[in-house]
Amino acid sequence: MKALVCVKRVIDYNVKIRVKADKTGVETENVKMSMNPFDEIAVEEAVRMKEKGLIDEIIVLSIGTDKSQETIRSGLAMGGDRGILVKTDNEQIEPLNVGKIIQTICKKESPDMVILGKQAIDDDCNQTGQIVATLLGYPQATFASEVKKNDDNTIDVTREVDGGLETIRIAIPCVITTDLRLNEPRYASLPNIMKAKQKKIEVVEIQTFGIDIKNRLDILEVNEPPERKPGIKVQDVESLVNKLKNEAKIL
Ligand code: AMP
């Protein structure tokens, strides 16, 4: 079985985001960038399946600027076999266009499982996995918290839904998107980081795909969230209850 893992380079989740002075977006210059956390979970899941002998090859794909090669390398250091970078200068490529690129890569590579994060923490779109499944006509299991491959080329995926846990069975080839509790991604060891440097990353220019990749959305304005008032410390539970009752009036 072959897995295609999609990884996006985003601002590291520990960084305090700063909005650009002209409100057109957020500052990305001199800011620590990392692999989208849900994509780390996707890489980890594929690597665990490979370690169990369920997957033979893991391809790590990113669509982005040259710098996304670092993100692909991180995936290779975790256990991916080879990488593909679809290179574009557009830092804000939209999910539909990402989906079209992934669709084209799938036609060439024929993966049995496309695994993505449930959402990218920069745009919070939560669209790409669903778009890829639709374009390819593959079954999809989104928000996976457990993935179990069966002998008959089906995969059971458990999803956290409002009422509890839902388990669905999908046939491969399929699309899976990862939720937070699926696994805890490993830290790449130094020898694996060194080994990853030898692994191949194929770089393809986005123009060669001949796909309409113009953006359909205009970002009108980006603003900081409203500042929160500072909190206070109360002496004991009694004064807390008193304040909740008489000041906040929520009890
Ligand atoms: P989104 O729909 O933008 O919230 O992204 C959902 C998932 O799609 C991410 O967690 C990634 O796995 C994948 N994805 C989105 N954008 C890219 C990209 N530029 N390159 C590779 N994968 C991406």
Side-chain angles (χ1 to χ4, degrees):
M1 193 160 110
K2 190 167 169 182
L4 178 74
V5 190
C6 304
V7 299
K8 187 177 187 188
R9 182 172 183 269
V10 296
I11 295 180
D12 187 272
Y13 70 96
N14 281 309
V15 170
K16 187 172 178 332
I17 305 285
R18 277 176 299 120
V19 171
K20 284 184 186 163
D22 63 4
K23 297 187 174 185
T24 55
V26 298
E27 290 289 354
T28 51
E29 284 299 313
N30 300 321
V31 169
K32 183 174 182 232
M33 306 292 283
S34 301
M35 186 187 295
N36 182 46
F38 292 106
D39 304 352
E40 284 187 344
I41 295 173
V43 176
E44 176 66 33
E45 197 59 23
V47 173
R48 288 188 189 187
M49 288 172 84
K50 191 173 176 202
E51 287 168 345
K52 285 187 200 148
L54 301 171
I55 286 180
D56 310 300
E57 189 184 30
I58 301 171
I59 305 168
V60 182
L61 166 71
S62 193
I63 298 130
T65 62
D66 230 349
K67 292 183 181 155
S68 297
Q69 290 213 36
E70 286 168 25
T71 317
I72 297 175
R73 285 270 173 234
S74 310
L76 298 179
M78 286 173 72
D81 293 296
R82 64 182 164 99
I84 302 176
L85 168 68
V86 177
K87 212 169 115 185
T88 164
D89 295 332
N90 179 0
E91 289 199 353
Q92 308 244 350
I93 179 155
E94 291 175 2
L96 175 62
N97 299 330
V98 173
K100 288 182 194 169
I101 301 292
I102 298 173
Q103 176 194 24
T104 311
I105 298 283
C106 285
K107 282 191 180 148
K108 180 167 172 255
E109 296 285 351
S110 308
D112 303 285
M113 180 178 85
V114 185
I115 183 160
L116 314 89
K118 75 166 178 182
Q119 77 193 59
I121 60 165
D122 54 356
D123 60 19
D124 274 347
C125 277
N126 173 233
Q127 294 173 12
T128 311
Q130 295 87 328
I131 289 173
V132 171
T134 307
L135 292 176
L136 288 165
Y138 287 1
Q140 59 178 298
T142 53
F143 297 34
S145 66
E146 197 183 336
V147 172
K148 208 173 121 262
K149 161 110 183 3
N150 303 313
D151 292 337
D152 61 353
N153 281 342
T154 59
I155 300 183
D156 289 353
V157 178
T158 304
R159 315 174 58 238
E160 287 175 22
V161 293
D162 262 0
L165 296 175
E166 175 190 67
T167 303
I168 56 173
R169 179 163 296 168
I170 51 174
I172 62 170
C174 64
V175 173
I176 295 177
T177 73
T178 60
D179 211 338
L180 205 59
R181 274 170 286 273
L182 178 58
N183 61 48
E184 218 173 285
R186 68 194 64 195
Y187 287 105
S189 65
L190 191 58
N192 285 344
I193 294 173
M194 300 311 286
K195 254 193 245 162
K197 293 191 180 174
Q198 310 304 324
K199 294 183 182 174
K200 188 167 172 260
I201 300 181
E202 182 190 348
V203 181
V204 202
E205 295 286 339
I206 203 161
Q207 294 85 341
T208 60
F209 284 71
I211 289 173
D212 167 16
I213 46 150
K214 73 169 184 304
N215 283 352
R216 266 95 177 150
L217 301 176
D218 286 327
I219 296 176
L220 300 181
E221 202 175 272
V222 178
N223 287 291
E224 304 264 0
E227 241 181 71
R228 284 173 60 180
K229 285 194 203 145
I232 55 157
K233 273 191 182 167
V234 290
Q235 294 302 320
D236 47 33
V237 175
E238 203 179 317
S239 26
L240 172 67
V241 171
N242 185 28
K243 279 190 177 297
L244 291 175
K245 240 188 213 164
N246 301 316
E247 289 179 26
K249 297 194 189 309
I250 54 173
L251 287 184

